[in-house]
Amino acid sequence: MSDSINIALDAMGGDNAPEEIIKGAVSALETSPEIKLFLCGREDDIRAELSKYSYDVNRIEIVHATEIIGMDEPPVMAVRNKKDSSLVKCMYLVKEGKCDALVTAGSTGAFLVGGQIIVGRIKGVERPPLAPFIPTATGRALLLDCGANVDARPTQLVQFAKIGSAYVKKVCGINNPRVGIVNIGAEEEKGNALVKETFPLLKATPEINFIGSVEARDIPYGAADVVVCEAFVGNVILKMYEGVGTVLLKSIKDAFMSSGRSKIGALLAKPALKKTLKQYDTDQYGGAPLLGCNGLLVKTHGSSKAVSINNSILQCKTFIENNINDDIREMFSVSMDI
Amino acid sequence: MSDSINIALDAMGGDNAPEEIIKGAVSALETSPEIKLFLCGREDDIRAELSKYSYDVNRIEIVHATEIIGMDEPPVMAVRNKKDSSLVKCMYLVKEGKCDALVTAGSTGAFLVGGQIIVGRIKGVERPPLAPFIPTATGRALLLDCGANVDARPTQLVQFAKIGSAYVKKVCGINNPRVGIVNIGAEEEKGNALVKETFPLLKATPEINFIGSVEARDIPYGAADVVVCEAFVGNVILKMYEGVGTVLLKSIKDAFMSSGRSKIGALLAKPALKKTLKQYDTDQYGGAPLLGCNGLLVKTHGSSKAVSINNSILQCKTFIENNINDDIREMFSVSMDI
């Protein structure tokens, strides 16, 4: 294998495939000369899109795949039966070591199943968490698990905390990231059975900087760098972020458009507002990685446009250049020795 | 007892007590001639505040209480030991039938404990849910349970659905309110163990209009009128609403103030924005009722100002005038007969 960073890209996954996927791919090649991309999907469709751009042909390889896994297909069946799908092909490229990472905007369910059963977990990792960044008033926070493993056990939440710390340390350059557990009150005795059991375990984990409970209200303020929770709760947090933000911004936009006076006001305030709201634009962070697998697997939003595909590819580059999986491997090989 | 609607008010509870509590009380008396208020707390403090206003002295009764339960006191101990606290006095006024309802901005924990052990549940209600309204793009939705009972069982969630339906029917005038269960996907087979067990039970409950799973993202859009979930999840939803909304609006405000140009823009757009954002102001809905107790118990935000005290009192009036507890009693006496 060459010195390039090889990334598999599901050219057929998501609402805007293959157009936006290919557009994002070409743009990532332009900014990062060390990247080589493996585009998985229908060769004709991929070539047709690629013909719109000029790029270094040596840095793109097309891996033909006849099938596509739909967003609503039962994930386990889809991964098992559609061996010739673009997503499954991406998974095998990582499994076989031909690629270091993969990016898909396709089915989340199939992504999670494929990650576990095709690519596989790092030895010692019980359940790989899905770990997106969420924007905060002061920067960003890593939220994990946000949907991979419902009904997790306390020891698994402790693993999430350790994996998340290692990731944030390297990706955000925060030396001693603050780890908080999502709770319904700030006191140690508060919470449901899972949180009450997990709290003392986190306190007794020397590798992390555990700051205690974090109330959901304080997450958007930036109360912690690593926000640990069970997948159902994490998913609710992520979706509430999305839902409340979108509804509120839509209402504000409607208000701006409601009269001549407010329209002029909007026009004047637009540049300042645009700058502020960019801070809350999750596209800039790339997708959600499934951490703790043998390779980096990144899931971007189904509605991803080129910019978030581009950023997800750059996210893989950062991950690989920083050898984050080596840190995770070392972390769990040590715990295995005890 | 007279024909008036008697409501107990914890004059010492919350960050702005007693000033804002008394101000809200006097304002509620003005709009609703059928109300009589029982103000519990330190008589001197209450009289000092009341002296600022003119009001009908026959419609306010002061119930002297020497103690105050602090926000951070362990709830069970506080309710047990501080028999002469303003909150416990309110609870006994309801228990003894002297008042039909109570409103407090004090400790949530003590409120929940006092509701259960002093006022008590309606026969057949397993665990009274805390049930605030949350604003949506199309109106409002009742969220329950949002913090009273962590680790609830499926049969308890079914009770929440029934109680919530009865409440929304009368309070919002929605004939057949749509009941959704919070889930991490729209399909029936998705979810954690609790949701998977609860889903078929809700489907088999003829008294409610069950529309299936509701993703957190869709709640702010108004996807359901009654949003059922376990208390930990409900609390996270409520707090995320608060956190994301506040942080986003603060950022927008900062953006408006960032330049001369944007300041003028803000000035022009202000009336339209104010009108829109009022829709998301939870103060207008009053507080969160603990439903299923023998009397109506309402908890408003610790930082409540007069307006939300006023609206919480009016909320009690609506509840009592509509005999909602009779509906809940009937509902559960029928289920008990089976």
Side-chain angles (χ1 to χ4, degrees):
Chain A
M1 210 160 71
S2 70
D3 281 345
S4 62
I5 295 173
N6 295 340
I7 299 168
L9 188 58
D10 176 2
M12 314 311 280
D15 307 336
N16 303 308
E19 299 86 336
E20 293 288 330
I21 314 292
I22 304 295
K23 193 176 168 191
V26 173
S27 126
L29 286 182
E30 278 164 14
T31 47
S32 301
E34 58 283 75
I35 283 175
K36 185 174 174 184
L37 294 176
F38 291 69
L39 305 183
C40 299
R42 291 187 190 133
E43 185 161 3
D44 290 351
D45 294 349
I46 294 173
R47 287 211 184 282
E49 284 304 318
L50 280 173
S51 69
K52 296 177 183 171
Y53 308 96
S54 67
Y55 59 92
D56 180 351
V57 289
N58 297 316
R59 294 174 58 210
I60 281 193
E61 199 163 303
I62 298 174
V63 179
H64 182 56
T66 55
E67 294 174 301
I68 298 173
I69 295 179
M71 294 304 235
D72 296 327
E73 287 186 57
V76 178
M77 293 295 285
V79 169
R80 270 201 198 133
N81 296 340
K82 291 193 165 173
K83 294 279 182 241
D84 201 39
S85 63
S86 54
L87 178 58
V88 170
K89 288 256 167 138
C90 285
M91 293 278 177
Y92 275 102
L93 286 172
V94 176
K95 182 193 170 64
E96 289 157 5
K98 210 165 171 182
C99 286
D100 311 297
L102 75 81
V103 172
T104 179
S107 154
T108 306
F111 168 79
L112 295 175
V113 168
Q116 297 252 20
I117 68 175
I118 299 173
V119 179
R121 291 168 284 137
I122 288 175
K123 206 178 158 184
V125 173
E126 286 185 62
R127 291 170 133 198
L130 193 63
F133 277 114
I134 51 175
T136 71
T138 54
R140 54 181 167 169
L142 193 75
L143 177 70
L144 75 182
D145 177 11
C146 107
N149 318 281
V150 291
D151 300 319
R153 289 194 304 272
T155 52
Q156 292 159 350
L157 263 69
V158 173
Q159 288 203 341
F160 300 165
K162 290 165 76 174
I163 294 171
S165 290
Y167 184 75
V168 164
K169 220 175 266 183
K170 288 273 177 80
V171 172
C172 305
I174 297 174
N175 220 343
N176 205 17
R178 297 161 304 153
V179 178
I181 186 165
V182 178
N183 206 348
I184 57 172
E187 306 82 17
E188 185 165 348
E189 69 277 8
K190 283 256 176 115
N192 56 11
L194 176 67
V195 171
K196 282 182 189 166
E197 259 186 82
T198 308
F199 200 102
L201 300 181
L202 287 171
K203 254 176 112 172
T205 303
E207 303 96 311
I208 61 164
N209 173 20
F210 181 54
I211 59 165
S213 294
V214 174
E215 280 201 82
R217 178 186 13 217
D218 299 323
I219 298 171
Y221 285 93
D225 305 306
V226 178
V227 176
V228 173
C229 56
E230 185 273 332
F232 194 94
V233 170
N235 194 276
V236 164
I237 290 173
L238 190 74
K239 300 284 173 68
M240 282 303 292
Y241 234 108
E242 221 179 293
V244 175
T246 315
V247 166
L248 211 55
L249 291 181
K250 163 111 186 30
S251 296
I252 289 171
K253 214 171 161 185
D254 289 349
F256 276 142
M257 292 299 115
S258 65
S259 76
R261 179 186 157 141
S262 57
K263 272 183 198 165
I264 298 170
L267 211 64
L268 290 168
K270 200 175 174 186
L273 276 178
K274 221 171 164 178
K275 201 174 133 196
T276 295
L277 293 178
K278 200 176 158 33
Q279 176 190 343
Y280 295 97
D281 175 13
T282 49
D283 280 351
Q284 61 175 320
Y285 300 137
L290 186 66
L291 295 176
C293 291
N294 290 310
L296 181 64
L297 318 180
V298 173
K299 168 74 180 78
T300 74
H301 210 286
S303 63
S304 287
K305 298 269 192 173
V307 58
S308 90
I309 298 297
N310 172 65
N311 287 333
S312 297
I313 295 170
L314 301 184
Q315 176 186 9
C316 294
K317 175 178 165 268
T318 308
F319 188 92
I320 292 153
E321 283 179 343
N322 282 289
N323 302 309
I324 294 176
N325 263 356
D326 289 348
D327 296 349
I328 298 176
R329 264 187 208 100
E330 197 184 346
M331 196 179 270
F332 288 101
S333 72
V334 171
S335 349
M336 297 289 283
D337 289 347
I338 292 168
Chain B
M1 211 160 70
S2 70
D3 280 347
S4 62
I5 294 174
N6 296 340
I7 298 168
L9 188 58
D10 176 3
M12 314 312 281
D15 308 336
N16 304 309
E19 298 86 335
E20 294 288 328
I21 313 292
I22 305 295
K23 193 176 167 190
V26 173
S27 125
L29 287 182
E30 279 164 15
T31 47
S32 301
E34 59 282 76
I35 283 175
K36 184 175 174 183
L37 294 176
F38 291 70
L39 305 184
C40 299
R42 292 186 190 135
E43 185 161 0
D44 290 350
D45 294 349
I46 294 173
R47 286 211 185 280
E49 283 305 317
L50 279 174
S51 68
K52 297 177 183 169
Y53 309 95
S54 66
Y55 58 93
D56 180 352
V57 289
N58 297 315
R59 293 175 58 211
I60 281 194
E61 199 164 302
I62 299 175
V63 179
H64 182 56
T66 55
E67 295 175 300
I68 297 172
I69 294 179
M71 294 305 235
D72 297 327
E73 286 185 58
V76 178
M77 294 295 285
V79 170
R80 269 200 201 135
N81 296 339
K82 290 193 165 172
K83 294 279 182 240
D84 200 39
S85 63
S86 54
L87 178 58
V88 169
K89 288 256 167 136
C90 286
M91 293 279 177
Y92 275 102
L93 285 172
V94 176
K95 181 192 170 64
E96 290 157 4
K98 208 164 173 183
C99 287
D100 311 296
L102 74 82
V103 172
T104 179
S107 154
T108 306
F111 168 80
L112 296 175
V113 168
Q116 297 251 20
I117 69 175
I118 299 174
V119 179
R121 292 167 285 138
I122 287 174
K123 205 177 160 184
V125 173
E126 287 186 62
R127 291 169 133 198
L130 193 62
F133 277 114
I134 50 176
T136 71
T138 53
R140 54 181 167 168
L142 193 75
L143 177 70
L144 74 180
D145 177 12
C146 107
N149 318 283
V150 292
D151 301 319
R153 289 195 304 274
T155 51
Q156 291 159 351
L157 263 68
V158 173
Q159 289 203 340
F160 300 166
K162 289 165 76 175
I163 294 172
S165 290
Y167 185 75
V168 164
K169 219 175 269 184
K170 288 274 177 82
V171 172
C172 306
I174 298 174
N175 220 342
N176 205 16
R178 297 159 303 153
V179 177
I181 186 166
V182 178
N183 205 349
I184 57 172
E187 306 81 19
E188 186 165 348
E189 70 276 8
K190 283 255 177 116
N192 56 12
L194 176 67
V195 172
K196 282 181 187 165
E197 259 185 82
T198 308
F199 200 102
L201 300 182
L202 287 171
K203 255 176 110 170
T205 303
E207 304 95 309
I208 60 164
N209 173 20
F210 181 54
I211 60 164
S213 294
V214 174
E215 280 202 81
R217 180 186 10 219
D218 299 324
I219 298 171
Y221 286 93
D225 305 308
V226 178
V227 176
V228 173
C229 57
E230 186 274 331
F232 194 95
V233 170
N235 194 275
V236 164
I237 290 173
L238 190 74
K239 300 285 174 67
M240 282 302 293
Y241 233 109
E242 220 179 294
V244 175
T246 315
V247 165
L248 212 56
L249 291 180
K250 163 114 187 26
S251 297
I252 289 170
K253 212 172 162 184
D254 289 349
F256 276 141
M257 291 299 116
S258 65
S259 77
R261 179 187 156 140
S262 58
K263 273 183 198 166
I264 298 169
L267 212 63
L268 290 169
K270 201 175 172 186
L273 276 178
K274 223 172 161 178
K275 201 175 134 197
T276 295
L277 292 178
K278 200 173 158 33
Q279 176 190 345
Y280 294 98
D281 177 12
T282 49
D283 281 351
Q284 62 177 318
Y285 301 137
L290 186 66
L291 296 177
C293 291
N294 290 310
L296 180 64
L297 317 180
V298 172
K299 167 73 180 79
T300 74
H301 210 286
S303 63
S304 287
K305 299 268 194 174
V307 57
S308 91
I309 298 296
N310 172 65
N311 287 332
S312 297
I313 296 170
L314 301 185
Q315 175 187 10
C316 294
K317 176 179 165 267
T318 308
F319 188 91
I320 292 153
E321 284 179 344
N322 282 289
N323 302 309
I324 295 177
N325 263 356
D326 289 348
D327 295 350
I328 298 177
R329 265 187 207 100
E330 196 184 345
M331 196 179 270
F332 289 102
S333 73
V334 171
S335 352
M336 298 288 284
D337 289 347
I338 293 170

